[in-house]
Each structure stands twice: as structure tokens, then as C-alpha cells.
Amino acid sequence: MRKLAFAMNVSLDGYTAAPGDNLGWSAPSDELFQWWSDQVGSTGLALYGRKLWETMSSHWPTADQQPDATPAEIEFARRWRDMPKVVFSSTKSTVDWNTRLVTGDAVTEITRLKADDGGSMDIGGATLAAAAMRAGLIDEYAIVTHPVLVGGGTPFFTTLDNWVNLSLIETRMFPGGVVLTRYETRR
């Protein structure tokens, strides 16, 4: 059975994006960018909601071909393109870059994917992750907390019907006061 992790940059007040989908507050240091790149490199399958897919696919497929691309950006772009991906959307009709489109019920498909053999899975996108969270499918939460209060926007956590008990498995400090905390779901 595959493990499903939800990892995102989060403001101290709990948002993955500020109002207007503003992500300007979450620019990573070189060390944090490398951590994200290593996450992509070790992911067996990435699950994306439509909005996050559109954000990622608008930049990373050709980021390594930009004249000012850093070695870290080149590495991340190549890892991102090579990583198998599934996009969940009822409005998209095509996807590229080692990606498969799912238009049906996300929880049903994620449940099926978790039961398969293979490497770990990461889930991204607030709406998609919220559905998986409510269904009890997330095994690990990696919260990369930035020292900023944005006052509103897209929350990392959704409203739940039941408590989810977690165990802390890692903490790590990054430059600029950014803190990673990883939690495993206790079943």
C-alpha cells in the first residue's frame, strides 16, 4: 500500500495562498528549494488539483531552458517533468509532461491508487487535499511554515467531521525563520 503525503508552504496563520491566490510570501531560500526538489525527486506519483497543476505546468516544463535558470531550478524542472503525475479536474481536457487526467471521483481514484504497489504519493491543491483529508486518506502532513501572517486566503486544513491524531516525526529549521514540521497520521 502506498503512503500519501500532503506537503505545502503555509503562512503562520495557516494559509497556502493569500487572498487573490498570492504566493509572493512563500519564496524559498536555496536550502528550502533544494528540500522541495528532493521531495519531487523521491515522489513515486504526484496528485494535483487543477489550480495547482495550472500553476506548476505554466512554469516548470521549460524552466530549465531559461537563460537565467540556476542549477537548482534546472534540476527541479527535470525532476518535475519526469515525475509521474495525475491531475484531477472536471474542466481540463488534456494534460502533458508524464501526466494522466482523471475526471471522475477523486476520493475513489485516490483510494485505488493507495492500494496499488509503488512509491509514495504526494497530493497538492487545497480542494483535492481537503477531499482526501476528509476521507482519511492522508498518511503524512509536511507543513513548511513561513513567518508571515497573510490574514486570509486558501487554508491548509479543511473542516473535518472527526479528529485526526498525529505523531511528530521531524522538525527542521530553514533560513529566514521557516520551519518544517512533519506529522504521521496515527491509525
Side-chain angles (χ1 to χ4, degrees), residues 5-76:
F6 179 34
M8 293 289 290
N9 288 309
V10 180
S11 65
L12 186 59
D13 52 350
Y15 296 96
T16 60
D21 292 329
N22 185 331
L23 300 173
W25 55 270
S26 64
S29 64
D30 290 344
E31 185 180 338
L32 178 56
F33 188 83
Q34 186 62 55
W35 182 84
W36 281 114
S37 183
D38 292 344
Q39 292 300 112
V40 168
S42 66
T43 297
L45 180 64
L47 311 178
Y48 283 103
R50 180 194 51 82
K51 283 176 71 176
L52 183 57
W53 165 254
E54 288 174 349
T55 298
M56 297 296 284
S57 67
S58 70
H59 178 73
W60 289 111
T62 59
D64 58 333
Q65 299 163 20
Q66 302 305 312
D68 59 344
T70 66
E73 290 170 331
I74 292 168
E75 176 185 56
F76 185 94

Side-chain angles (χ1 to χ4, degrees), residues 27-167:
S29 64
D30 290 344
E31 185 180 338
L32 178 56
F33 188 83
Q34 186 62 55
W35 182 84
W36 281 114
S37 183
D38 292 344
Q39 292 300 112
V40 168
S42 66
T43 297
L45 180 64
L47 311 178
Y48 283 103
R50 180 194 51 82
K51 283 176 71 176
L52 183 57
W53 165 254
E54 288 174 349
T55 298
M56 297 296 284
S57 67
S58 70
H59 178 73
W60 289 111
T62 59
D64 58 333
Q65 299 163 20
Q66 302 305 312
D68 59 344
T70 66
E73 290 170 331
I74 292 168
E75 176 185 56
F76 185 94
R78 290 177 180 160
R79 285 177 165 179
W80 187 86
R81 273 195 316 266
D82 291 346
M83 175 181 59
K85 297 170 281 299
V86 175
V87 172
F88 294 84
S89 174
S90 60
T91 59
K92 304 268 322 155
S93 59
T94 61
V95 290
D96 293 320
W97 306 291
N98 202 20
T99 305
R100 175 172 73 85
L101 179 64
V102 172
T103 59
D105 182 65
V107 170
T108 300
E109 180 64 9
I110 294 168
T111 301
R112 188 191 70 74
L113 290 168
K114 277 191 66 152
D116 284 350
D117 291 331
S120 64
M121 299 187 305
D122 287 341
I123 190 167
T127 303
L128 181 63
M133 201 180 298
R134 283 190 300 275
L137 297 173
I138 298 179
D139 302 299
E140 181 182 311
Y141 296 86
I143 305 166
V144 180
T145 306
H146 293 251
V148 60
L149 303 173
V150 299
T154 306
F156 180 83
F157 291 104
T158 189
T159 302
L160 298 171
D161 294 328
N162 299 300
W163 292 4
V164 176
N165 293 308
L166 306 170
S167 297

Side-chain angles (χ1 to χ4, degrees), residues 161-183:
D161 294 328
N162 299 300
W163 292 4
V164 176
N165 293 308
L166 306 170
S167 297
L168 180 66
I169 56 174
E170 180 185 6
T171 59
R172 181 173 170 186
M173 297 278 301
F174 290 96
V178 175
V179 178
L180 163 69
T181 50
R182 286 181 47 229
Y183 297 90

